[in-house]
Amino acid sequence: MIIPAELTQCLKHSKRLAILTGAGISAESGVPTFRDAQTGLWAQYNPTELATPEAFQQNPKLVWEWYAWRQQLVAKAEPNAGHLALVELEHHQPSLTIVTQNIDGLHQRAGSNRVIELHGNINRFKCATENRILEQWEKQTAIPPHCPYCNGLIRPDVVWFGESLPVFALEQALQAIERSDVLLTIGTSALVQPAATLPLKALQQGATVIEINPETTPLTPCVHFSLRGKSGDILPKLLK
Ligand code: BJW
């Protein structure tokens, strides 16, 4: 793919670069995207029905087994060329902020410093009854596990449909995106709110918005540049 010279210039001269990432950036690390890649036993389940408080209430064992499967995939995964290119970009643009919808921690493992997690982290846990984060929790083998303090159920500290996003993270994300002069939106289907609104806010503020995705999304008609392809291929080329 040939990167338009205008786009390279725009990135080079950006003073406040923001990045919004979704599951697609981790696809090349072997972490299935949220919507497309349920495999094996899990192919029969709809992920949008599993990632809900209602599903956890009705069948905590099933929901836990799904997360345990995904935790294993994340543990085995390594950051890919796309994550690493963003680390490199941060060296040139120290104010770069990554706002991620991903729960896999791969940006941090790659070495990115300013990462805002909108939807939590699959490797952090909390008590579903008291909402207490269990920092030092030694994962129990029993599924579903119980809180050592109140015996309530433990759950992954991720944001399910119908739940509010962490207030501080959302505020920080809005700030970074509203202040940005260039926003790169990478590997997201742009379907899930409120994250899907963030690029629209950047556009309203006059930022240049660049989308990287092999597929079109509802955002595609609105962006300044749409780079059709895998982020692991395209992002390293943006640095050249
Ligand atoms: C590649 C690639 C490669 C592949 N390179 N790219 C307004 C209107 C309508 C509904 C709502 C609304 N406001 C709120 C809602 C309800 C709901 C919502 O948005 N529903 C929509 C589905 C319509 N939102 C919420 O409930 C949110 N809470 C909230 O707003 O609270 C207040 C409120 C509640 C209720 C009503 C009103 C207000 C919470 C959303 C939480 C989302 N949580 C999840 C699960 C996290 C835990 C887990 O993973 O198990 O977060 S859902 C899931 O979607 C996950 C993701 O972070 C998120 C976004 O998905 P993402 O990252 O875009 O992935 P995919 O799979 O969709 O797409 C991958 C993309 O990559 C594709 O485009 C590929 O083409 C591309 N790709 N390979 C680059 N190599």
Side-chain angles (χ1 to χ4, degrees):
M1 158 170 307
I2 297 171
I3 309 290
E6 267 177 275
L7 190 159
T8 320
Q9 285 305 311
C10 162
L11 268 180
K12 203 167 158 192
H13 293 119
S14 164
K15 299 268 181 289
R16 293 172 310 279
L17 178 58
I19 316 275
L20 174 67
T21 63
I25 195 166
S26 296
E28 290 153 87
S29 293
V31 180
T33 62
F34 189 76
R35 276 165 189 75
D36 298 337
Q38 293 273 88
T39 54
L41 274 180
W42 295 103
Q44 60 182 306
Y45 295 99
N46 177 348
T48 60
E49 286 169 13
L50 289 175
T52 66
E54 293 77 20
F56 186 66
Q57 215 168 17
Q58 278 163 24
N59 198 339
K61 186 167 182 289
L62 177 76
V63 173
W64 250 107
E65 282 169 348
W66 183 50
Y67 279 97
W69 172 66
R70 293 172 63 208
Q71 276 155 12
Q72 259 187 10
L73 294 175
V74 167
K76 279 194 257 162
E78 293 296 333
N80 65 53
H83 297 106
L84 297 173
L86 294 183
V87 178
E88 178 72 25
L89 202 53
E90 191 182 318
H91 292 153
H92 302 290
Q93 310 244 359
S95 71
L96 176 153
T97 303
I98 298 178
V99 176
T100 189
Q101 299 167 80
N102 297 348
I103 59 171
D104 56 30
L106 285 176
H107 287 302
Q108 296 91 324
R109 275 171 55 196
S112 288
N113 287 309
R114 294 159 67 95
V115 182
I116 299 168
E117 291 180 325
L118 286 180
H119 295 161
N121 193 299
I122 196 166
N123 286 316
R124 198 171 49 232
F125 303 92
K126 66 179 182 183
C127 170
T129 309
E130 296 177 331
N131 259 339
R132 181 203 304 250
I133 299 286
L134 300 166
E135 300 284 359
Q136 304 294 330
W137 181 58
E138 293 251 342
K139 242 195 267 173
Q140 301 153 10
T141 44
I143 284 187
H146 287 265
C147 174
Y149 301 101
C150 74
N151 207 36
L153 289 176
I154 292 176
R155 56 168 279 185
D157 185 23
V158 297
V159 183
W160 285 329
F161 284 113
E163 293 184 325
S164 300
L165 274 63
V167 175
F168 187 65
L170 186 56
E171 273 173 17
Q172 296 278 323
L174 274 169
Q175 220 175 65
I177 282 179
E178 285 178 346
R179 284 185 185 162
S180 66
D181 54 5
V182 179
L183 172 69
L184 273 172
T185 161
I186 307 168
T188 175
S189 57
L191 292 173
V192 174
Q193 299 295 346
T197 306
L198 296 175
L200 303 179
K201 294 209 182 278
L203 285 167
Q204 278 165 8
Q205 302 293 321
T208 301
V209 177
I210 303 161
E211 181 181 58
I212 301 178
N213 198 312
E215 309 287 336
T216 57
T217 74
L219 183 68
T220 310
C222 312
V223 300
H224 296 90
F225 298 97
S226 164
L227 302 180
R228 204 59 57 71
K230 294 181 176 181
S231 46
D233 291 336
I234 294 178
L235 282 168
K237 292 189 182 133
L238 291 187
L239 297 173
K240 286 193 179 142

